[in-house]
Structure formats: structure tokens, C-alpha cells
């Protein structure tokens, strides 16, 4: 539409003429939307808000007096706030390329200042620290011209022909080279050990395979031998069982024959021996009874003989009193007592003879009709046949 203007998304539209902008700005700032602008009475210009870059290649001297060539890239843009757009529009609206030139010069000065306070070792090893310090020192100055720095990258640091950086890196290079050689040697040794281990494993596997094959072969041979011997062994076992059965049969036959012999010979013989023993015992008992009866008969005969001799004994005792001087005080009673005493003496003599003679035993001559030996009678010195 005639008179209606719209800025691009990365642009700020600056309208001059008519009323002043905010905070006394010489123009009004429009971003993100359109604005109706009266022709002839108003003038419209556009300021880029896109990202810009500036390259810096500056020779700087360190605190050690060594010259270094530092190359850096700065990424910057116009700030999005109203104040930054006004400041940048007043300075760069007619020639916006001057923003990159001025930014490079500003950062070159800050680089020389900061590098002059650092050593080569610090610059080389702490590049991020260098970039951060440059950004911090340039922030306020860049804000005054309406610019904002997004990043600063140190691309390279070169000492030219001085060789300081190369000398500084020599020990590290040597250590790295030495470490590389050690690593290579270790890798070579590890590879050799791996090869040897693989060879040993292969040899061990071959040995185990050979052992297993030999075991299989031995088992096959043993099985074949056992199969070949199975028939003879079975026959031998059968023959052995037959012999064992025959032996057992013979033993049973012998036991049976022994039992038969015991029943036919031993038992009758034992029975006969028992019969003979019983008969002998009976005969002995009979003879004992007969002997005892004979002895008893002899005693009766002896007693009878002694009784028959008793008057004679009393007579002889009385005859001994014939020449004796005997006084009889009580007359007929006294004579009776003397006679009774003689008879009692005779009986005592008879009992003594019986005790001295004892019981006659078989074989002492009594049963054979022999004469009994004479015993000397102490009382009256009487001999008895």
C-alpha cells in the first residue's frame, strides 16, 4: 500500500521527520511490525540487526618481549534494545560496513593490551582465558556504539621465525614421541605374546585332539577285544557254572552217603554198645547184690558161730576165777551178780570180735570156703577157730 512500510525480521526501521522518538531520539524505531509513513514528509531508513563478523590479525608483544601474531574472529551484531539501535543508527546508518572495521580495531587494541601482560606459555595454554578477558574489557566500549559481541575465537598464535613456541613444545613432542615408541613397543610385545599364546593354544588343542583320538581308538579296540572274548568268556562261565553245580551235587551225594552210613552202621553200633553197657551195668549190679547177700550170709554164720562159742567163752572166764579168792558178801544175790558179770563180759568179748573181724568182702576167702584168720582176743587170751 502506498505509504505503508514494513521492516524485515532482521532489520530495524528508522523513521525520521515529524515527531521525535523515545527519550529524545532523532528518529522513531520500528521493529517486528509495519508503519504508515507519509510520503515527502517522512523519511524511512533500515538498519540491519543480522549477525556480522570481523577478522583480526594483529602482532602483539608478550610480557617476555616475544612478538606473536594473533588471528581472531569476532561475531557481533546490533543490540535488540531501543537504545542500542539508536546508538548504532546514529553511527553506522549511512555506512553499515564500518561496524566490522571499527569492531576489528577495537579488539586489536584490547588484544595487544592483554597479551602484553601474559607470557607465551599462558597465551598458548590458556586461549580461552585470553578470549574471555578481551570480551570483558571490550564489552562496555562496544555497548556505547550499540554493538553486542556474541563470541571471540582465537584462531592462531604464531611467533614467526623466533621458534619459541616450537622449542616450548619440543619436550612435549619428545615425550609424546617416546610415549608413542613405548606404546608401539608394547603393542609389538603384546602382538608377539598374542601370537605365542595363539601358537600354544593351537598346540594344546592339537594335543588334546590327539589324546581324545587315542582314547577313542583305545575304547574301540577294547570294545572289539571284549566282543571277541565275549563268546569264550561266556562258554568258560557256563563251564564254570556246570562244574560248580557238579561239585555241589557231589558234595550233597557225599553228605547223603555219610548220613546213610551213620544210619546203617554207626547208629546200630552205638545202639549195640549201649545195650552191652546196660547189660554190663546190670550184671555188675547183680554181682554186687550177690556179693552183698553173700557177705550178709557170712555175718549171720559168724554171729551164729560166736553165739555157739559164747558158753565156752564164759566157761573159760569162770575157770579163771576158780583159783581166785573171792568174798561174796550178799550170799546168793552176790553169786548171781558175779554170774551175770561173766555173761556180760562174754557179750562184750563177742562185740569186740565182731568189730575186729569187720564185714567180709568178695575175694577175701570167705565165699571160697577158706578159714577165717585167727584174731588174738586180748580178753582171756582165747583162740577161736
Amino acid at each position: 500500500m502506498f505509504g505503508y512500510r514494513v521492516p524485515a525480521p532482521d532489520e530495524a526501521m528508522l523513521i525520521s521527520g515529524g515527531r521525535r522518538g523515545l527519550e529524545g531520539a532523532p528518529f522513531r524505531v520500528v521493529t517486528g511490525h509495519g508503519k504508515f509513513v507519509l510520503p515527502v514528509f517522512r523519511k524511512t531508513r533500515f538498519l540491519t540487526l543480522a549477525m556480522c563478523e570481523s577478522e583480526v590479525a594483529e602482532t602483539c608483544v608478550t610480557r617476555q618481549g616475544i612478538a606473536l601474531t594473533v588471528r581472531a574472529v569476532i561475531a557481533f551484531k546490533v543490540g535488540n534494545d531501543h537504545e542500542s539501535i539508536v546508538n548504532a543508527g546514529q553511527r553506522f546508518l549511512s555506512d553499515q560496513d564500518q561496524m566490522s572495521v571499527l569492531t576489528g580495531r577495537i579488539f586489536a587494541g584490547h588484544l595487544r593490551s592483554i597479551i602484553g601482560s601474559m607470557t607465551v606459555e599462558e597465551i598458548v595454554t590458556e586461549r580461552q582465558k585470553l578470549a574471555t578477558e578481551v570480551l570483558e574489557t571490550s564489552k562496555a566500549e562496544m555497548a556505547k556504539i550499540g554493538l553486542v559481541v556474541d563470541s571471540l575465537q582465537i584462531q592462531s598464535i604464531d611467533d614467526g621465525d623466533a621458534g619459541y613456541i616450537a622449542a616450548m613444545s619440543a619436550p612435549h613432542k619428545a615425550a609424546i614421541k617416546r610415549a608413542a615408541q613405548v606404546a608401539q613397543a608394547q603393542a609389538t610385545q603384546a602382538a608377539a605374546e598374542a601370537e605365542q599364546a595363539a601358537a600354544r593354544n593351537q598346540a594344546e588343542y592339537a594335543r588334546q585332539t590327539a589324546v581324545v583320538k587315542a582314547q577313542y581308538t583305545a575304547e574301540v579296540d577294547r570294545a572289539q577285544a571284549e566282543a571277541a572274548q565275549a563268546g569264550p568268556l561266556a562258554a568258560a562261565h557256563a563251564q564254570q557254572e556246570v562244574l560248580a553245580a557238579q561239585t555241589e551235587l557231589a558234595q550233597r551225594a557225599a553228605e547223603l552217603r555219610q548220613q546213610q552210613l551213620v544210619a546203617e552202621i554207626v547208629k546200630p553200633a552205638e545202639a549195640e554198645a549201649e545195650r552191652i553197657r546196660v547189660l554190663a551195668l546190670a550184671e555188675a549190679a547183680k554181682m554186687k547184690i550177690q556179693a552183698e547177700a553173700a557177705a550178709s550170709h557170712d555175718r549171720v554164720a559168724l554171729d551164729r558161730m560166736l553165739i555157739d562159742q559164747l558158753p565156752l567163752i564164759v566157761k573159760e572166764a569162770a575157770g579163771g576165777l576158780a583159783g581166785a579168792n573171792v568174798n561174796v558178801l550178799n550170799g546168793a544175790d552176790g553169786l548171781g551178780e558175779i554170774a551175770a558179770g561173766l555173761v556180760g563180759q562174754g557179750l562184750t568179748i563177742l562185740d569186740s570180735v565182731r568189730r575186729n573181724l569187720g564185714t567180709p568182702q568178695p575175694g577175701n576167702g570167705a565165699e571160697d570156703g577158706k578159714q577165717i584168720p585167727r584174731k588174738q582176743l586180748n580178753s582171756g587170751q582165747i583162740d577161736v577157730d
Side-chain angles (χ1 to χ4, degrees):
M1 181 180 291
F2 180 75
Y4 191 80
R5 307 296 297 273
V6 178
D10 58 349
E11 290 180 337
M13 186 171 63
L14 307 180
I15 303 173
S16 60
R19 291 181 303 174
R20 288 180 175 271
L22 297 175
E23 297 179 358
F27 47 79
R28 286 179 292 174
V29 178
V30 178
T31 58
H33 59 88
K35 188 73 175 177
F36 182 80
V37 180
L38 291 175
V40 181
F41 298 99
R42 304 286 187 270
K43 189 175 181 178
T44 304
R45 300 289 298 272
F46 295 93
L47 178 66
T48 181
L49 300 178
M51 180 66 66
C52 301
E53 68 176 26
S54 176
E55 293 184 0
V56 177
E58 190 69 21
T59 300
C60 308
V61 179
T62 66
R63 188 176 62 185
Q64 299 161 314
I66 299 172
L68 298 177
T69 300
V70 180
R71 290 180 174 82
V73 176
I74 304 101
F76 67 95
K77 65 181 291 295
V78 177
N80 294 326
D81 60 287
H82 184 271
E83 183 180 359
S84 297
I85 293 173
V86 171
N87 291 334
Q90 289 178 339
R91 290 170 176 83
F92 305 110
L93 186 59
S94 60
D95 188 3
Q96 298 186 27
D97 293 336
Q98 286 298 318
M99 289 189 294
S100 298
V101 176
L102 182 58
T103 300
R105 290 175 182 176
I106 293 172
F107 273 88
H110 288 292
L111 278 173
R112 286 194 301 271
S113 175
I114 295 173
I115 287 176
S117 64
M118 299 175 67
T119 63
V120 177
E121 288 79 7
E122 292 174 346
I123 295 169
V124 172
T125 58
E126 299 180 5
R127 290 190 180 188
Q128 187 60 40
K129 178 182 178 181
L130 173 61
T132 302
E133 291 185 2
V134 172
L135 284 174
E136 291 295 329
T137 56
S138 63
K139 183 182 294 184
E141 189 173 355
M142 293 291 289
K144 290 180 180 180
I145 59 177
L147 301 179
V148 178
V149 179
D150 288 341
S151 67
L152 170 64
Q153 296 295 328
I154 305 297
Q155 290 184 327
S156 65
I157 300 174
D158 187 10
D159 62 352
D161 297 333
Y164 188 91
I165 297 177
M168 185 177 64
S169 63
H172 300 286
K173 290 181 179 179
I176 292 172
K177 185 177 180 180
R178 182 171 59 255
Q181 292 176 350
V182 171
Q184 183 63 36
Q186 291 177 350
T188 303
Q189 181 180 359
E193 291 177 355
E195 291 179 357
Q196 293 176 0
R200 287 195 298 270
N201 291 335
Q202 291 178 357
E204 179 65 18
Y205 181 76
R207 185 187 67 81
Q208 293 178 357
T209 303
V211 170
V212 172
K213 287 183 178 179
Q215 291 177 352
Y216 287 163
T217 302
E219 290 180 0
V220 172
D221 294 341
R222 183 167 56 253
Q224 292 177 352
E226 291 177 355
Q229 295 176 357
L233 287 175
H237 286 308
Q239 184 66 25
Q240 185 177 2
E241 292 178 356
V242 171
L243 292 176
Q246 292 178 351
T247 302
E248 185 179 359
L249 182 60
Q251 290 177 353
R252 292 183 178 179
E255 292 175 357
L256 181 60
R257 182 57 182 164
Q258 183 179 3
Q259 294 176 359
Q260 291 176 353
L261 291 175
V262 169
E264 296 176 355
I265 298 175
V266 175
K267 292 299 181 179
E270 291 178 353
E272 182 63 22
E274 182 66 17
R275 188 183 67 81
I276 293 174
R277 187 180 68 81
V278 170
L279 293 176
L281 291 175
E283 185 65 24
K286 177 183 177 181
M287 292 178 65
K288 181 178 179 181
I289 293 171
Q290 291 177 353
E292 290 177 355
S296 177
H297 179 74
D298 290 339
R299 284 197 302 272
V300 172
L302 179 59
D303 291 341
R304 188 176 295 168
M305 182 185 66
L306 290 176
I307 291 172
D308 293 338
Q309 295 294 328
L310 181 59
L312 182 59
I313 292 171
V314 173
K315 181 181 179 179
E316 290 296 331
L321 294 175
N325 186 12
V326 179
N327 293 320
V328 178
L329 297 179
N330 52 356
D333 293 333
L335 292 175
E337 289 177 359
I338 292 172
L342 291 176
V343 174
Q345 187 178 2
L347 294 176
T348 300
I349 292 172
L350 179 61
D351 290 335
S352 178
V353 170
R354 286 180 177 175
R355 285 192 300 271
N356 289 330
L357 292 178
T359 303
Q361 297 295 330
N364 59 4
E367 67 274 11
D368 296 334
K370 295 181 180 180
Q371 186 178 1
I372 297 175
R374 295 186 178 187
K375 297 292 182 178
Q376 183 69 34
L377 298 175
N378 293 327
S379 182
Q381 296 292 321
I382 297 173
D383 292 332
V384 181
D385 292 331

